[in-house]
Amino acid sequence: MASDKKIISERQKKTSIKGTVGEYEAIANLTRQGYFVAKAVDPACPFDIVIVDRNGKITLIDIKTNTFRKNKKGKSLKDKPKGSYKIHRSPTKEQKRLGIKLMMVDYD
């Protein structure tokens, strides 16, 4: 019987770990700030979390981990300080339509 499991690369595994750590750090920080936080369970959901402030204001948030380019047009950026060529993220059309905010987090 053939296995239905998908094999992911080491790079994909690292990226997934970074995203998970960043997401849970953001959840912890928001909880410390006094927000109620609920996590989306559907992997295809256009947001990661819902936060509710003490006044009942609801905000949908998609958490993204800051990433940086290693190369720029064939040139190595190893000599440049981290953050010199940050990859900027934009919300998708659906996220814009739904008013979803992007929250950028760092992975140390």
Side-chain angles (χ1 to χ4, degrees), residues 16-83:
S16 176
I17 290 168
K18 281 182 181 183
T20 300
V21 169
E23 194 171 299
Y24 281 98
E25 283 181 355
I27 290 168
N29 288 334
L30 289 163
T31 302
R32 275 193 286 274
Q33 292 172 34
Y35 291 95
F36 298 107
V37 182
K39 187 169 171 12
V41 295
D42 180 356
C45 187
F47 57 86
D48 293 317
I49 61 173
V50 177
I51 63 170
V52 182
D53 70 14
R54 297 290 176 185
N55 297 319
K57 182 180 180 220
I58 298 169
T59 306
L60 306 176
I61 298 177
D62 189 31
I63 301 168
K64 298 290 183 196
T65 304
N66 283 317
T67 52
F68 303 89
R69 296 203 187 283
K70 292 187 174 85
N71 297 295
K72 184 174 183 187
K73 295 184 182 178
K75 296 179 184 177
S76 174
L77 302 174
K78 290 180 185 174
D79 299 338
K80 301 281 184 189
K82 184 177 179 180

Side-chain angles (χ1 to χ4, degrees), residues 85-101:
Y85 293 98
K86 186 175 171 177
I87 299 171
H88 295 281
R89 308 284 183 208
S90 299
T92 64
K93 285 181 185 178
E94 183 178 22
Q95 288 173 327
K96 287 177 187 175
R97 183 179 65 77
L98 295 172
I100 297 168
K101 307 289 183 204

